[in-house]
Structures are given as structure tokens and as C-alpha cells.
Amino acid sequence: MAARCQIIALLVVGVVCFGLAIGLHYGFQAIFHDQVIKSVLLTEGSEALDNWVDPPAPIYIQFYFFNLTNPDDVVKGGKPNVTQIGPYTYREIRKKKNLTWYGNATLSYIQPLTYIFERSLSAGREDDNFTTVNIPFVTIVNLSRNMAGLVKDAIDLILRAANETLFKSFKVSDMLWGYEDPILKLIHTIDPALVPSSMFGLFLDKNGTDDGVYTTYTGEGDLSKVNTVNRWNGEDHLTFWSTKYANMINGSADATLYQPFNNKKTVLRLFSSDICRSIDATYSKDVTVKGIPLYQFTAPPSLFANYTSNPDNVGFCTPDQDHCLGSGLLNVSNCHQDAPIVMSSPHFLDADPQIISAVDGIHPDRELHQTFLDLEPITGLIMEAAKRLQININIEPDSNYKQLQNVHQVFYPIVWLTEGATIDDDSVKEYISKVVFPQRVVDIVFYVLIGIGALMLILACVIIILSNRKKSEDLIVNAPTESSALLS
């Protein structure tokens, strides 16, 4: 009777432990799922909002310039030879402002960007000089291509009189943030409609300013849309390109937060006003950042592929399909005041071989030059990221201008940049305390309960076996023998 009670008690305890373990597992998962959802919604007073508005991780943008070592040879028809200088590093301050929520689960904001030079993280000073293409010169020539011959002759005379050459020496700070160009100043005085400003700089008027008003989804009602752009400057599509696909505005504008609960088939989308288009990133490999296991997503080579390789890219041919560039290049002159600017990955990564070989000193390296996003799959947070782009100028021969009469067509690299951030230590601690630690505690309790339950069942089985063995032995001992039967 006592053994029977022990067996029943052990079985009950074992089953209860198994039940508690299963209940704890599924109950925690449900609660954890709800908590993660609440933590990523961009609603007023939400947990995610503060970090989204003012990211705690330091953001840096680094510029690497290409210094031309043989400008005279290039003007005479030689191949450009460049050496990379840099980095010139700036701390990027970005904080979203003018937040306004709407009834359709969206909010609008602007995000001014401020750049502060970090000498300790730079290879030189902002007043360092380097030789590169005279972009205003090439831009004026490009604008004049469809003008009458007399106008071209007049512009050529102006350029010669001002001693303007195809290649010049510039300060790093002037090339980035702007300077007054003498040719632009003169032509602006003559025809302000043709040249709206006498100032030029790759990032002219972009220090302390924003790139427009974004309207993005908060994630309410449809978590898959959280931090996805709904409109940019009031429009739900672009007008720079020739197809509906190319003009789509897809994905996040800041690439800091995506929907939670992702897998390796997830496609991350990003809208970049720098290149005036949306891009996709797909899973590449597993990585670890500060002890956190992540999925790394990268932009595939098809992103800038020629339309013959990727038909979706036909809409990016400017001005039409007859002017499509080779793989690895994107003509963005339509959204950069008709300057002959062509974007690519740094060092022409994934570009056609003839584009790379046209300039000596170009050395593409996927680890150094590829854009990537390191995603924490459960929360949808980006823990480390780097956007990497290169600004190039399309130089073409032109018999109307002395400086361009003998040059060969080339996509000349000006500068490449990497803009990125890595999760800060305080955010790592917060992630561990809110995501990792609770899961570990639940896992420990789960396995302890399973272990106790299994132990109880094993003990019950042992008692049953021992009890049955004892009964068998008693039967053998008490069984009548042949001699005892005869005596009776």
C-alpha cells in the first residue's frame, strides 16, 4: 500500500512538472511576443520612440578621396592613376524633429543632420589638398551639350579666360561643404536660370539641414510596416525615373528598426535620398557583434546591375534605355541638378571589369566596400550597419572644349564614404536584460522542471520494478514444495 502511494505521488509530481514546463514555455513565449511587439511600436510614449528619435549609438561618416597623380597625362588621353587618402571622419548628429502623429497609424518628421569633424579619427586635416576633377567645369560642359555652337564657343572662351582646367586641387572641406566657384559665379551673373548658385560642394547646404519631410508607419495594426516610409515630401512615389518600379518609395528611411521576428528569408528595404531610390538587402551570413548573434544583410550585386542582367533596372536608365550604364553604376544626375554624377559601390565593387580597369588604383574588396545591415532577428533592431557609396563623375570627350578634346570616356571616382554605427554598450546591457536574460531564466526553469519531472517518473518506474520483483520473490518463498505436500 505504501509503495502504491509513493508511485502515485511520484507520477503526479512528474506530470505536474511536465505540465508546468510546457505551460511556462508557451505562456512565456506569448507574453514575450506581446512585449516585443509593444517595444517596437512608434507610438507616443512607446519604449522604442526615444531611441528612434535620438539614436544612442554614435554615428560616424568617413570620407576617402581619390587623389589624381597624373592630371596632365589624362588630359592628353592617358589613363587616370589615383591613390586613396583618408579617412576624414565626422561625427554625425541626427535627431528627428517636428513629430506629428496621424489617425492612419503614421507619423511625420524631419531629421536634420549635423557633421562635426573628428581629427583624432582622421588621417589628416580638413584643409588637406588633393587633385580631382573640376566638377563645376564638367557640369557646365554637360549643360551646354544641347546648346547652339556659338554658346559652346562662348563658354569655352570663358573657361579658358578664367584658366579653368579639367582637374584642379581642392581642400577636403571645400569639396565637401562648399566653396564659391569663379565659373559658376560668372555664369550665374549672366544666366541665373542656367546656374542657380555660384557655390558648389558635394554636401553643400547639407550640414545642419534635413532632406525633407518623411511620413512613416508606426506599426499599429500592421507590424510589418513599422518604420516604413509612407510618403516623402508629401509624395508616395518618386518622379526621377521612367518606370513605376524605379519610382517606388520602399522600406525604412533610417534603417534602425524593422519588424520583429525575422528569419533568413526576410528582405530588408531601405529608401535612400542620397541615391534617389529604394534598395533591398538580403541575408548574407551569421555574424556576432559584442556577443550578440545577428543576421547580416547585404545589398546584392543585382542592385546596380545593367538592365540586361536585371530587367527591373531599366527604369533607372537616364534619360532613356539607350543611355543605360554598365553594371555597378547609377546615373543620379536627374536628382542632382543635372550634374553628371554617377553613384556606385566603393572602388566600383560589382561593376563591369572594363569600368574598374579604366582607372589605375582601384581595388574593390567586398569586406571593406559592401553596404551591410546586421539585424537582431527577434526584435528587428539593427545592431551594426554601414552604408557605403562612391561618387563618380562621367567624363566624356568633347571636341568643342580644349580640355576635353583628347580625354577618353571614364567614370572618374571622386570620393567614397562609409556611414555607420555600432550598438553602444548601454544598449547591449539593456538588450541582454530585456531579451536574453528572461529567456535564459525561463530556459533554466523549463529544463529544471523537465529534469524533476523525468526524475519523478524514473523513480516511479524503479519503485514499480522493485515492488513487482519483491512480489515475485514472495510468491516463490511461499509456494508449496513437493515434500510439504506429501507430509500433509
Side-chain angles (χ1 to χ4, degrees):
M1 185 66 181
R4 180 184 178 88
C5 291
Q6 289 177 341
I7 293 169
I8 293 174
L10 291 171
L11 289 174
V12 169
V13 172
V15 171
V16 169
C17 286
F18 279 120
L20 287 174
I22 295 171
L24 176 67
H25 174 75
Y26 286 103
F28 172 77
Q29 291 300 324
I31 295 171
F32 181 72
H33 187 276
D34 290 342
Q35 289 299 315
V36 170
I37 290 175
K38 291 177 181 178
S39 71
V40 301
L41 295 177
L42 298 177
T43 53
E44 292 185 83
S46 69
E47 185 177 342
L49 189 65
D50 287 345
N51 289 342
W52 180 75
V53 169
D54 188 7
I59 304 171
Y60 295 98
I61 183 167
Q62 296 182 304
F63 298 95
Y64 296 84
F65 292 90
F66 293 97
N67 180 54
L68 181 64
T69 63
N70 61 336
D72 293 338
D73 291 340
V74 178
V75 172
K76 294 175 183 178
K79 181 193 290 190
N81 185 294
V82 298
T83 56
Q84 177 178 292
I85 61 171
Y88 295 89
T89 304
Y90 293 79
R91 173 74 182 272
E92 184 178 304
I93 308 298
R94 56 168 66 195
K95 185 175 182 179
K96 298 177 177 67
K97 296 182 178 180
N98 300 348
L99 274 66
T100 304
W101 280 265
Y102 302 98
N104 61 344
T106 63
L107 71 94
S108 64
Y109 67 90
I110 61 171
Q111 184 169 251
L113 302 181
T114 301
Y115 301 96
I116 302 171
F117 184 62
E118 295 282 355
R119 179 63 182 89
S120 63
L121 301 176
S122 302
R125 302 185 304 179
E126 285 188 292
D127 59 1
D128 286 353
N129 286 281
F130 72 105
T131 300
T132 188
V133 65
N134 186 348
I135 300 176
F137 178 102
V138 179
T139 302
I140 292 297
V141 170
N142 191 59
L143 290 172
S144 69
R145 291 193 190 279
N146 296 322
M147 296 180 181
L150 290 176
V151 176
K152 294 180 181 180
D153 291 341
I155 292 177
D156 187 42
L157 287 173
I158 292 173
L159 293 173
R160 291 195 200 185
N163 199 29
E164 285 295 308
T165 56
L166 180 58
F167 299 103
K168 291 176 64 176
S169 178
F170 297 91
K171 291 181 180 179
V172 166
S173 58
D174 287 348
M175 179 56 68
L176 288 177
W177 313 115
Y179 64 96
E180 186 171 57
D181 184 81
I183 294 301
L184 294 181
K185 182 179 180 180
L186 178 58
I187 299 179
H188 173 70
T189 303
I190 299 171
D191 188 355
L194 180 64
V195 178
S197 172
S198 63
M199 300 294 294
F200 174 79
L202 295 175
F203 285 76
L204 180 67
D205 297 330
K206 291 187 177 181
N207 197 346
T209 60
D210 62 83
D211 62 344
V213 179
Y214 288 92
T215 304
T216 190
Y217 289 102
T218 64
E220 293 178 286
D222 188 349
L223 197 61
S224 66
K225 292 183 177 181
V226 65
N227 199 30
T228 297
V229 177
N230 170 251
R231 292 178 181 273
W232 181 47
N233 291 326
E235 300 293 336
D236 62 359
H237 65 280
L238 305 173
T239 57
F240 305 122
W241 313 109
S242 61
T243 64
K244 183 178 180 180
Y245 173 85
N247 280 316
M248 286 182 176
I249 299 177
N250 293 326
S252 167
D254 63 0
T256 59
L257 173 67
Y258 287 90
Q259 71 178 61
F261 310 114
N262 298 274
N263 56 48
K264 295 178 180 180
K265 294 182 179 180
T266 298
V267 176
L268 302 184
R269 293 184 167 88
L270 167 67
F271 171 69
S272 173
S273 64
D274 294 331
I275 59 174
C276 315
R277 62 165 292 181
S278 302
I279 62 177
D280 292 346
T282 55
Y283 171 81
S284 174
K285 60 183 179 181
D286 287 6
V287 296
T288 300
V289 175
K290 295 189 175 182
I292 302 174
L294 308 171
Y295 293 164
Q296 183 167 101
F297 288 75
T298 58
S302 61
L303 178 67
F304 288 149
N306 182 270
Y307 81 98
T308 56
S309 300
N310 182 3
D312 287 335
N313 283 346
V314 68
F316 297 112
C317 297
T318 300
D320 51 44
Q321 187 171 328
D322 293 333
H323 293 82
C324 289
L325 302 181
S327 288
L329 303 175
L330 177 67
N331 185 344
V332 294
S333 58
N334 279 0
C335 58
H336 287 280
Q337 294 79 48
D338 290 321
I341 293 178
V342 175
M343 306 297 286
S344 70
S345 293
H347 284 255
F348 297 116
L349 179 69
D350 294 322
D352 288 337
Q354 62 267 29
I355 295 172
I356 299 173
S357 63
V359 180
D360 287 335
I362 297 299
H363 307 289
D365 184 322
R366 192 163 301 281
E367 288 299 315
L368 296 175
H369 302 141
Q370 183 169 246
T371 293
F372 69 87
L373 300 169
D374 290 346
L375 175 81
E376 200 292 305
I378 296 174
T379 61
L381 294 173
I382 298 297
M383 301 293 193
E384 185 171 48
K387 180 175 70 175
R388 292 165 172 164
L389 295 171
Q390 182 169 296
I391 300 173
N392 314 282
I393 293 293
N394 183 14
I395 300 177
E396 299 179 282
D398 193 319
S399 59
N400 293 290
Y401 299 94
K402 184 178 180 180
Q403 286 278 308
L404 293 170
Q405 288 174 354
N406 298 313
V407 300
H408 293 292
Q409 191 279 330
V410 65
F411 295 102
Y412 181 84
I414 306 292
V415 61
W416 73 270
L417 62 91
T418 176
E419 179 184 27
T422 302
I423 185 172
D424 60 294
D425 292 341
D426 288 340
S427 296
V428 170
K429 293 176 183 178
E430 183 179 5
Y431 167 80
I432 292 173
S433 67
K434 292 184 177 181
V435 177
V436 178
F437 181 73
Q439 291 187 96
R440 285 180 179 173
V441 170
V442 169
D443 286 345
I444 291 171
V445 174
F446 173 81
Y447 288 114
V448 167
L449 289 173
I450 291 294
I452 293 174
L455 179 62
M456 295 301 102
L457 294 180
I458 291 171
L459 288 176
C461 291
V462 170
I463 292 175
I464 290 172
I465 292 171
L466 293 176
S467 178
N468 288 336
R469 180 180 295 177
K470 187 174 185 304
K471 288 181 180 179
S472 298
E473 291 175 350
D474 290 344
L475 287 174
I476 293 173
V477 170
N478 296 325
T481 62
E482 186 176 337
S483 58
S484 63
L486 291 173
L487 289 173
S488 60

